[in-house]
Amino acid sequence: MNSPLLEARGLSRHYALPRSARQWLGRRAPRTLRAVDEVDLSVERGRTLGIVGETGSGKSTLGRLLLQLERADAGQVLVDGVPATGPGADAGRRRRRDIQVVLQDPYTSLNPYLTIGSAIEEVLTVGGMTSRDARRERVGELLEQVGFPAEWAERKPGQLSGGGRQRVSIARALAAEPRLIVADEPVSALDVSVQAQVLNLFQRLQRELGLAYVFITHDLAVLERIADEVVVLYLGRVVERGPADKLFAAPKHPYTQALLAAAPSLGRSRSTSSVVAGELPDPASPPPGCTFHTRCPFVMEVCRTTRPRLTTTGEGQQTACHLHADPAPASLPPTDGRYRPAPPEANPTAAP
């Protein structure tokens, strides 16, 4: 049992964009959007992996690939070292049940016309629990597990707050008896005080049930609290990963430094766009070399031409940045781990 609970190897998902009229007339090939590009990651049993990045970085697409809701163009997902799409109907069904999802918006993820008990019972029915009395008893247990009395099974989602609906979504995920939950922005639609309550619930369930989590978010403050490992995505590729405490204490990649500077509880600003220079490039036409070089205050000539590979920088951290390449460039721009947007004349390729 040395293999991780969940592992992705070289996972890629590319979309061919429709041709424009100009492309048809000029007979040019359609553009390709590399939403997820050669991503490796692993999740250990009972641990939490955080995935973070701006909108358009590929986080949600990666989550759908891990859930087998989309087919990868390359690479594979493994559960206990076995491909998630391997042969055998029963084994494949069990592997799919092992991984469940909690979605972002609790207001749309539940059917407003069904009672919350019916929403949870439906999962039990699909899972093969044939006794109606056993299903109702189990629904009561699951509601109590997320902090609700069993009698609330007859309530409709509209009678609950956003935090209450998200608790029901968690109970519904638990009904399949998963070993891992993919949580896609699970607290972003909630008030700050309610966010803390839901995060406390996730942590308690992890202690009690030994669950593993993949937490997808744009909010590093959430990952600082809950994650054991962090993967940072930029335009579909991993630019940094490592133990959460090490990454928060000493981020290596300039993009990670920028995200940390933008986190409300970790820096001075509340908006990523006010800290990261320029705009996110067109994902269908990413810059050559390091895709972050158009926004990086430490850009060097090599960054514009050569894509950096993930390099181990010590204590389990890895980063895809020429500042930490082996061998290192002859002249390194000064950095103390704090992101400082460069003035326009210092980085002529940066977007205004």
Side-chain angles (χ1 to χ4, degrees):
M1 299 295 291
N2 294 325
S3 61
L5 172 58
L6 178 73
E7 188 176 6
R9 297 179 182 173
L11 209 57
S12 298
R13 182 69 172 104
H14 303 160
Y15 301 96
L17 301 181
R19 293 174 183 260
S20 66
R22 179 177 298 179
Q23 284 177 314
W24 277 112
L25 292 173
R27 299 181 182 275
R28 287 183 288 178
R31 298 193 303 166
T32 299
L33 173 62
R34 297 176 177 268
V36 174
D37 202 19
E38 299 179 9
V39 168
D40 296 331
L41 58 81
S42 62
V43 188
E44 303 294 335
R45 295 163 182 79
R47 305 273 287 178
T48 299
L49 173 72
I51 299 175
V52 69
E54 293 173 284
T55 300
S57 61
K59 306 185 303 296
S60 293
T61 301
L62 178 57
R64 292 194 296 271
L65 293 174
L66 297 177
L67 288 160
Q68 300 295 295
L69 297 178
E70 287 198 40
R71 185 182 297 275
D73 294 300
Q76 60 181 171
V77 176
L78 299 96
V79 180
D80 288 330
V82 179
T85 55
D90 292 339
R93 189 178 300 114
R94 177 64 256 178
R95 286 194 290 271
R96 287 191 294 273
R97 289 180 58 189
D98 279 339
I99 307 174
Q100 294 295 307
V101 64
V102 173
L103 298 172
Q104 174 180 0
D105 190 354
Y107 294 93
T108 59
S109 60
L110 296 172
N111 188 329
Y113 301 105
L114 292 180
T115 65
I116 61 177
S118 298
I120 299 171
E121 190 174 342
E122 186 176 19
V123 179
L124 299 173
T125 302
V126 172
M129 187 177 288
T130 56
S131 168
R132 186 175 183 183
D133 290 339
R135 290 198 303 268
R136 290 187 172 182
E137 181 179 355
R138 180 58 179 153
V139 166
E141 293 172 353
L142 289 165
L143 288 175
E144 291 174 352
Q145 205 163 29
V146 298
F148 288 153
E151 295 76 23
W152 281 28
E154 298 305 316
R155 296 196 176 193
K156 296 284 185 68
Q159 297 175 270
L160 303 179
S161 66
R165 297 183 199 196
Q166 200 63 299
R167 287 174 181 266
V168 174
S169 297
I170 295 170
R172 185 176 59 181
L174 294 177
E177 299 183 358
R179 294 188 292 159
L180 182 143
I181 290 177
V182 175
D184 189 356
E185 300 277 10
V187 298
S188 64
L190 307 177
D191 293 338
V192 174
S193 60
V194 181
Q195 286 184 9
Q197 296 171 15
V198 173
L199 291 176
N200 286 340
L201 174 61
F202 273 112
Q203 291 175 308
R204 175 173 64 79
L205 292 172
Q206 187 171 57
R207 290 193 302 269
E208 294 175 356
L209 304 176
L211 292 170
Y213 297 131
V214 173
F215 244 73
I216 300 171
T217 182
H218 67 278
D219 190 346
L220 276 165
V222 169
L223 295 189
E224 183 188 32
R225 173 171 179 171
I226 199 169
D228 299 301
E229 303 277 334
V230 175
V231 168
V232 183
L233 289 183
Y234 186 75
L235 290 181
R237 296 185 66 86
V238 176
V239 297
E240 185 163 0
R241 66 182 173 209
D245 55 345
K246 303 293 191 301
L247 186 142
F248 285 116
K252 305 301 182 185
H253 198 282
Y255 180 61
T256 310
Q257 295 167 14
L259 292 178
L260 284 168
S265 67
L266 301 174
R268 296 176 296 279
S269 173
R270 297 188 63 88
S271 171
T272 300
S273 61
S274 68
V275 177
V276 184
E279 300 292 332
L280 190 73
D282 180 359
S285 300
C290 174
T291 53
F292 189 62
H293 84 257
T294 58
R295 309 170 75 187
C296 182
F298 309 127
V299 63
M300 300 174 288
E301 191 58 37
V302 66
C303 305
R304 299 185 175 97
T305 59
T306 305
R307 188 173 72 185
R309 295 184 176 275
L310 277 171
T311 301
T312 300
T313 59
E315 300 188 18
Q317 282 178 269
Q318 290 185 310
T319 186
C321 180
H322 289 297
L323 291 173
H324 303 279
D326 187 17
S331 177
L332 289 178
T335 175
D336 57 5
R338 298 179 63 186
Y339 180 85
R340 300 180 181 86
E345 62 273 12
N347 183 3
T349 63

